[in-house]
Amino acid sequence: KTDNGLEGYGETGNAPAPSRKQFEYLIGRNPFHEYNRVTHLGMSMALYDLLGKFLGVPLWRLIGPQLRTWVPLSAWTMPQPPEAMANEVKHLVKRGYTWLKFHVDFFQNVVEQTRAIQKVAPPGFKLQYDFNGDASLHTVLPILKQLEKFPVAGRVEDPIPSKKPSDRDEWRSLRHSTRLPILAHAPGAAFLVERAADAALFSRFPLPEAIRAAHVAEAANSPFMLQHVGGNITLAFL
C-alpha cells in the first residue's frame, strides 16, 4: 500500500509468507527507487503492479516490446504409477493442456509411465521429464534412448548433475547423443552460453533477475521458460 492510495498485488506461491520485518526497509521509500532491486518474487510482482497502475500502462511496457498477446502454459504433476499417469493426462487434455511436466523418481519406471501415457495422449501432446540431476550420464542415456521412441516424449530437464566443471562436458555429450532437447534448471543460463543445454528454466525469479536471464537467452539464441508456483495472481503476472 502507498500513501497515495494505490495498492500493488503480489503472491508468495507455495513458500511461507515472508515476515513484515523482511520488507521494513521499503517503508517510506519511493517504489521507483526499489522495484528493480527486490529479490523476492511476490514483492517484485507487487511493485511492478504498483508502478503499472501509477503510470497507467500494462506491466509489459515496463519490460520491453510486446511480441504476442498470449503465453504458453504447461501442467505439472507428481510421479505416479503408469495407470494413474494416464488418467492424469486424460484430465489435462480435457482442460486444454498440451504439455505435462513431472519428476522422474526411483519408485516408478519412467518408460512404463510414458508407454501408458502414449496410449491415451492425443497427437501433439508432449512430456517434460525432470530427472532432478541426480543420476549419472551412463544411467540416464540408455533411458533417454528408450524414451526417444515415443512421440509423446518432449524434452528433458536436469538429466545429470551440474555442479562440477567436468559436468558441462557430460551435458554436451548428452546433447549430441539424444534427439530430446535438454533443459538446464539448476545450472541456469550459464549452460546456454556454454552450449551445454538447448534451453533454460528459471524458477521463481523476481522480474529484474528474469529480465537479465532473458537477455542471456537472447544472446545465446536459445529459448527459456519461467517456473513460478502460485495461484491466479501469479498466473496473471506471468
Side-chain angles (χ1 to χ4, degrees):
K1 297 182 178 181
T2 64
D3 56 4
N4 65 1
L6 293 177
E7 296 184 6
Y9 290 90
E11 189 173 49
T12 302
N14 64 342
S19 66
R20 180 179 176 86
K21 186 175 181 180
Q22 182 176 345
F23 299 115
E24 281 184 349
Y25 73 96
L26 293 174
I27 297 175
R29 300 283 296 172
N30 186 331
F32 281 95
H33 295 168
E34 304 296 336
Y35 76 100
N36 61 356
R37 299 198 301 173
V38 169
T39 58
H40 184 276
L41 175 60
M43 184 58 73
S44 181
M45 289 186 205
L47 288 178
Y48 270 87
D49 182 34
L50 186 65
L51 299 188
K53 289 173 178 174
F54 180 78
L55 297 171
V57 299
L59 189 151
W60 64 264
R61 288 198 180 275
L62 305 178
I63 304 172
Q66 186 183 61
L67 301 182
R68 55 177 177 253
T69 59
W70 55 271
V71 177
L73 297 173
S74 170
W76 178 89
T77 191
M78 294 288 290
Q80 305 165 66
E83 183 179 351
M85 293 294 289
N87 289 333
E88 185 89 30
V89 168
K90 291 179 183 177
H91 169 70
L92 293 172
V93 167
K94 291 179 180 179
R95 298 185 63 187
Y97 286 101
T98 59
W99 277 90
L100 170 64
K101 167 181 168 169
F102 69 95
H103 287 262
V104 176
D105 66 13
F106 297 107
F107 303 101
Q108 302 294 336
N109 185 316
V110 66
V111 176
E112 293 306 315
Q113 287 173 316
T114 304
R115 195 186 314 278
I117 291 171
Q118 185 66 68
K119 292 178 180 179
V120 300
F125 192 92
K126 296 290 184 179
L127 298 174
Q128 177 173 318
Y129 307 94
D130 187 346
F131 276 76
N132 313 295
D134 56 10
S136 69
L137 171 63
H138 300 294
T139 299
V140 169
L141 182 56
I143 298 174
L144 298 189
K145 299 308 287 185
Q146 294 185 68
L147 295 178
E148 284 181 357
K149 302 174 184 178
F150 296 95
V152 76
R155 54 197 177 215
V156 180
E157 177 185 338
D158 285 354
I160 55 178
S162 57
K163 294 181 179 179
K164 298 182 298 183
S166 60
D167 291 337
R168 289 169 169 78
D169 293 333
E170 293 200 346
W171 276 66
R172 294 189 189 97
S173 176
L174 192 61
R175 281 192 70 199
H176 291 292
S177 301
T178 178
R179 66 173 181 79
L180 297 175
I182 304 299
L183 273 64
H185 182 188
F191 272 36
L192 298 183
V193 178
E194 300 178 19
R195 297 290 185 251
D198 297 293
L201 191 152
F202 308 130
S203 186
R204 297 202 61 78
F205 275 22
L207 229 167
E209 192 175 349
I211 292 171
R212 287 192 293 270
H215 285 314
V216 174
E218 178 82 9
N221 194 29
S222 300
F224 73 94
M225 63 184 69
L226 299 175
Q227 179 174 271
H228 293 346
V229 178
N232 287 333
I233 292 178
T234 300
L235 187 63
F237 169 78
L238 284 170

